[in-house]
Amino acid sequence: MGDTGIILNITDSSARAPYRRAGTWQQSKGVKRKFSNVSKEPEAKRQPAPPSQKYQSKNKLAERNKGKNSPSKKTTSVASEENQKGRPAVKTSSLFKNNPEVPAIERTKITQLQEQVFSSDSFSELELHPHLVSTITNVLNMTHMTSVQKRTIPVLMSGRDALVRSQTGSGKTLAYGIPLVQALQGVTPKIQRIDGPYALIIVPTRELALQSFTTIQKLLKPFTWIVPGVLMGGEKRKSEKARLRKGINILISTPGRLVDHIKSTQSIHFTRVRWLIVDEADRILDLGFEKDVTAILNALNAQCQERQNVLLSATLSQGVTRLADVSLHNPLSITITDDSQTEAQRAVTDLLEPSQQSDGETSSFAMPEKLRQHAVVVPSKLKLVTLAAFILAKWKCEKKTKMIIFFPSCELVEFHHKLLSSILELIDKEMQTHSKAFFRLHGNMEQEERTEVFQQFTQARAGVLFCTDVAARGLDLPQVTWIVQYNAPASAAEYIHRVGRTARLGAQGSSLLILLPSEAEYIRILADHKISVSEMKMDEVLSNLLKMDFLEIKRVGIKKSQASDPQAVRERATVLQTKFEDYVHRSPDTALCAKRALQSYVRSYATYPKTLKHIFHVRSLHLGHVAKSFGLRDAPHNLSQQLAGNPKHLGKAGPRRANVHKKMKAKQKFSDLLLSEFSSGFSPKPKKAKHDTNQKIET
């Protein structure tokens, strides 16, 4: 008991002596700290630091520790604190670090096929009705024929079937519309509305149906007794049936809706049909309407035997040749290219059967003469910023910019339209340009909204249209100056149709193709089809941000002229990227929209054909980097599981408790729950250990 009392007294004392246990001397940390306090000077002899200096030193130490331990290094947010020199610390490593190397693009010399758009012949030289010539001159403002019109109109007026292949934007609608109106206005006795269809025009999309209807309506202005009409998906069947009962003489329709009326509408008949015109035949087949076209042909053959058939296309694929073999009788093939063929060679080519023509997948394509084509190679993380910088540059330099941006899916159109319109319209106000508008067009929109957007963009003097390939075929959108392809198309033919929305009928136009470093070989694929593309450097596009003063980071003691260096470009790009990320992460709904767009992008990437899998393979994507291009700071973990189910209820009602318990059973590290931008997202899952009944369990 006495020993114990002595130990207690030592423990309670302020100066604690070392104690001995098991024959060794040990000293605790607490003992060491108290001994050090004893060895120091008394408090009375020390010079206390002033309170201001004391707190200042603590703040400096906190700032140093904050710079070392702060998790903000993993984000792209611009630091708002100033360093010791009074300059804001802008972090650009997250956006410009760990990117793949951009390969150098070797541009091979290519003799690109050109097509002479206009000819020297005028419409007055043809044997047309004077009122029709006057309408073409005064209403359509055209005096001279294009090359395809010069060669096609006389053939169709002679009554022969024809397969017309010409570049997009060369005037193919008038090439068949003028001889069609010329033939129908001369029918005796006069055509009456109740007679029903005399001509049937099949087009792939609703927008092209509206455009073709408008063109035919203008041509029929002096011939009021001939009634055109249009049938397309999205409209009310009841109103369409009423129009069919009243009578339509020139019927323009999409394949699916026409087959629907053939099966369900008794008032539709084809006994007087004299013309069958299939416009954009390759696109009709690409969209999977081959069975519908077959059903239409069977209905026509059952009710009328003698008619004139015309197929028009910008490309000639195997599907088009099969359709030509079935629908055309002794056709004349018309191909317009400005190559080395003589007139005699062209005559021989024209007389060949469609099956003897070259395949569209391996042949060359005629390009508009005044089309300037560009490509830029951009790492995934910088893709969104580069697109925004390109749009801003055109707004700043070109007052009447009219641009179309193609995306591979409806979700991508919706996401980029919301994101860029929200951010860039605010920037537009700061730039005081207030004349730009954003539009969107895709297949999931209601028909009334699609029609309204199509008409608004057609009439607009400037604007940006975000769209899918629904706007890639046949549409004549006036004054479009730039075509941007945010993702590479799945074929060279699709590339031709997209860029064909500009440089139409001899006008000036430009195109830009955005590629990832792993996709640079796609330019060689285009070169195999004699498509010449010049390289545009990413740094040149991003350097346009230096003209945007609102992105400038003001620093004390630095002149504006000294800030025009690569570091300044990176800082402004980071500021713009931060605006996008702040918008995406401001609410669960915007974050969910970004995740769904990311999922749609990965799915569309997996749909490239086998011939392009060596260039576009989903395993070559770095999901952490790709997530940056959608404004996400980190790639979502288990993306497919998060987005399963109804998106409207996602986040409100959580998963069932049974699923939660199942997930909690699996041992997961906290670092596995979030994938940073440095994670590819395609790391293999850990294999489950196989249970061996013979193996003993060690305890």
Side-chain angles (χ1 to χ4, degrees):
M1 293 293 294
D3 295 342
T4 306
I6 294 171
I7 293 173
L8 289 174
N9 291 332
I10 293 173
T11 306
D12 294 335
S13 62
S14 60
R16 186 180 299 178
Y19 61 93
R20 187 175 183 181
R21 179 182 291 176
T24 59
W25 289 91
Q26 296 182 359
Q27 191 174 15
S28 67
K29 295 181 180 179
V31 173
K32 187 173 182 179
R33 285 197 298 270
K34 291 198 173 185
F35 266 107
S36 63
N37 290 336
V38 172
S39 63
K40 289 182 180 179
E41 294 181 356
E43 293 291 329
K45 295 183 180 180
R46 280 193 243 158
Q47 297 291 335
S52 59
Q53 184 179 356
K54 182 178 179 181
Y55 289 117
Q56 193 174 8
S57 62
K58 285 184 178 180
N59 290 337
K60 289 183 179 180
L61 181 61
E63 286 180 5
R64 288 195 218 104
N65 293 335
K66 188 175 182 180
K68 293 179 181 178
N69 303 324
S70 175
S72 62
K73 288 184 178 181
K74 294 182 180 180
T75 66
T76 60
S77 61
V78 180
S80 60
E81 298 113 353
E82 295 186 355
N83 56 18
Q84 296 178 357
K85 296 182 181 180
R87 299 177 182 176
V90 180
K91 298 181 180 180
T92 61
S93 60
S94 180
L95 196 60
F96 288 88
K97 194 175 181 181
N98 297 324
N99 287 321
E101 211 175 306
V102 176
I105 298 177
E106 296 182 2
R107 187 181 180 187
T108 57
K109 293 183 179 180
I110 301 170
T111 305
Q112 189 166 278
L113 291 180
Q114 300 291 337
E115 180 175 319
Q116 185 179 358
V117 179
F118 286 98
S119 65
S120 58
D121 298 346
S122 64
F123 290 99
S124 58
E125 299 177 10
L126 299 173
E127 296 179 0
L128 300 176
H129 193 283
H131 293 339
L132 181 56
V133 176
S134 177
T135 302
I136 296 171
T137 305
N138 299 326
V139 178
L140 300 177
N141 298 321
M142 295 187 65
T143 56
H144 291 80
M145 292 183 286
T146 63
S147 298
V148 65
Q149 292 166 1
K150 175 185 174 182
R151 300 186 61 193
T152 304
I153 292 176
V155 172
L156 298 185
M157 289 179 64
S158 66
R160 291 194 59 179
D161 289 4
L163 173 61
V164 182
R165 180 190 178 192
S166 178
Q167 70 178 27
T168 181
S170 58
K172 292 192 293 292
T173 304
L174 289 180
Y176 70 78
I178 291 174
L180 172 62
V181 174
Q182 172 66 21
L184 295 184
Q185 62 85 25
V187 173
T188 54
K190 267 189 177 182
I191 292 176
Q192 297 182 5
R193 182 172 185 174
I194 59 175
D195 292 343
Y198 278 81
L200 186 59
I201 302 174
I202 309 297
V203 294
T205 62
R206 305 172 189 179
E207 285 71 26
L208 185 54
L210 288 173
Q211 179 178 290
S212 302
F213 172 74
T214 303
T215 303
I216 297 298
Q217 202 172 31
K218 290 179 180 178
L219 292 175
L220 290 173
K221 193 172 183 180
F223 313 110
T224 55
W225 62 89
I226 303 175
V227 179
V230 60
L231 304 177
M232 58 186 181
E235 295 288 337
K236 294 182 180 179
R237 291 185 178 87
K238 188 175 182 180
S239 60
E240 290 181 345
K241 289 182 179 181
R243 293 202 302 270
L244 288 171
R245 282 193 296 269
K246 290 181 180 178
I248 297 176
N249 302 130
I250 300 179
L251 182 59
I252 305 166
S253 178
T254 54
R257 178 49 63 98
L258 182 58
V259 171
D260 189 10
H261 280 288
I262 290 174
K263 294 179 179 179
S264 60
T265 304
Q266 296 180 354
S267 58
I268 190 171
H269 60 86
F270 305 111
T271 55
R272 290 187 175 88
V273 170
R274 297 187 178 186
W275 287 73
L276 171 64
I277 300 167
V278 182
D279 196 4
E280 299 292 342
D282 53 348
R283 181 60 174 169
I284 290 177
L285 299 178
D286 290 342
L287 292 175
F289 289 124
E290 188 170 358
K291 291 183 179 179
D292 293 335
V293 173
T294 302
I296 294 170
L297 289 175
N298 292 336
L300 288 173
N301 294 332
Q303 299 184 40
C304 65
Q305 297 296 330
E306 296 183 1
R307 64 177 183 273
Q308 189 173 355
N309 305 285
V310 184
L311 261 65
L312 302 103
S313 177
T315 59
L316 189 61
S317 62
Q318 293 181 354
V320 175
T321 56
R322 288 198 303 270
L323 180 60
D325 291 337
V326 174
S327 60
L328 303 182
H329 303 283
N330 190 22
L332 185 66
S333 178
I334 302 173
T335 303
I336 311 296
T337 52
D338 187 16
D339 54 12
S340 58
Q341 278 189 334
T342 63
E343 290 296 328
Q345 290 173 333
R346 285 179 181 174
V348 174
T349 304
D350 291 345
L351 293 175
L352 291 176
E353 292 294 328
S355 58
Q356 296 175 284
Q357 302 290 334
S358 58
D359 184 14
E361 296 301 322
T362 58
S363 63
S364 304
F365 302 99
M367 304 296 295
E369 183 180 359
K370 295 185 179 181
L371 174 63
R372 301 293 177 261
Q373 303 173 82
H374 309 275
V376 59
V377 181
V378 181
S380 294
K381 286 198 288 186
L382 294 163
K383 200 172 182 182
L384 179 61
V385 174
T386 303
L387 175 63
F390 182 79
I391 297 174
L392 288 172
K394 298 307 168 187
W395 283 7
K396 190 81 173 179
C397 303
E398 302 176 13
K399 295 181 180 180
K400 296 183 180 180
T401 300
K402 202 170 183 181
M403 184 184 303
I404 301 178
I405 306 177
F406 285 99
F407 294 93
S409 68
C410 302
E411 290 82 4
L412 288 170
V413 171
E414 286 288 340
F415 168 74
H416 286 92
H417 176 261
K418 290 180 181 178
L419 178 66
L420 292 173
S421 61
S422 300
I423 301 300
L424 297 186
E425 280 183 354
L426 294 176
I427 294 174
D428 189 23
K429 292 179 182 178
E430 296 183 26
M431 295 171 61
Q432 298 180 355
T433 51
H434 308 297
S435 59
K436 310 301 184 293
F438 292 91
F439 306 89
R440 79 191 198 284
L441 186 64
H442 57 78
N444 288 345
M445 297 169 58
E446 296 293 334
Q447 181 55 42
E448 293 181 0
E449 189 178 7
R450 286 176 62 173
T451 303
E452 183 180 0
V453 169
F454 174 69
Q455 293 176 350
Q456 287 179 353
F457 187 73
T458 301
Q459 298 171 2
R461 297 183 61 185
V464 180
L465 176 65
F466 302 86
C467 64
T468 58
D469 282 336
V470 72
R473 297 296 183 107
L475 295 185
D476 185 14
L477 301 170
Q479 300 176 349
V480 174
T481 54
W482 274 95
I483 299 295
V484 179
Q485 302 185 63
Y486 197 64
N487 299 89
S491 65
E494 199 62 44
Y495 175 90
I496 295 297
H497 285 288
R498 289 181 177 181
V499 299
R501 298 313 99 209
T502 186
R504 299 178 69 84
L505 294 176
Q508 293 281 354
S510 304
S511 67
L512 177 64
L513 174 63
I514 302 177
L515 298 172
L516 300 179
S518 59
E519 303 169 354
E521 193 180 348
Y522 186 78
I523 296 178
R524 185 185 60 80
I525 302 296
L526 297 178
D528 293 341
H529 294 273
K530 293 187 177 182
I531 300 174
S532 178
V533 180
S534 61
E535 183 181 8
M536 182 184 294
K537 295 294 184 181
M538 179 189 69
D539 295 336
E540 297 177 4
V541 179
L542 293 179
S543 63
N544 293 308
L545 297 177
L546 295 174
K547 304 175 185 177
M548 317 302 166
D549 295 335
F550 57 89
L551 295 175
E552 181 183 4
I553 300 173
K554 297 181 180 179
R555 289 190 172 90
V556 180
I558 296 182
K559 296 181 180 180
K560 185 176 180 181
S561 59
Q562 295 177 351
S564 58
D565 57 3
Q567 181 64 18
V569 175
R570 293 187 174 193
E571 290 175 357
R572 296 195 179 196
T574 305
V575 172
L576 187 56
Q577 175 71 17
T578 304
K579 291 180 181 292
F580 291 136
E581 293 183 5
D582 290 343
Y583 174 84
V584 168
H585 291 277
R586 70 177 183 178
S587 68
D589 292 337
T590 54
L592 177 61
C593 183
K595 292 176 183 178
R596 294 188 67 84
L598 174 60
Q599 184 191 43
S600 177
Y601 171 79
V602 175
R603 286 177 175 173
S604 65
Y605 210 86
T607 60
Y608 278 95
K610 291 182 179 179
T611 55
L612 295 177
K613 284 292 185 183
H614 65 288
I615 302 175
F616 305 95
H617 199 285
V618 71
R619 289 286 176 181
S620 64
L621 293 177
H622 193 300
L623 284 187
H625 290 189
V626 174
K628 281 284 181 184
S629 65
F630 288 88
L632 295 168
R633 297 191 177 103
D634 296 295
H637 187 67
N638 295 331
L639 186 64
S640 59
Q641 296 180 9
Q642 290 184 16
L643 300 179
N646 192 346
K648 294 182 179 179
H649 303 288
L650 190 61
K652 295 182 180 179
R656 294 180 180 178
R657 297 185 61 86
N659 296 335
V660 175
H661 290 304
K662 288 181 181 179
K663 291 181 180 179
M664 293 300 293
K665 288 181 181 179
K667 293 183 179 180
Q668 291 182 340
K669 296 180 180 180
F670 180 74
S671 59
D672 294 337
L673 298 178
L674 283 178
L675 293 178
S676 71
E677 61 178 279
F678 304 106
S679 173
S680 67
F682 288 107
S683 55
K685 297 180 180 180
K687 295 182 180 180
K688 296 181 180 180
K690 295 181 179 180
H691 297 285
D692 191 357
T693 54
N694 299 326
Q695 185 178 1
K696 296 181 179 179
I697 301 176
E698 296 181 1
T699 57

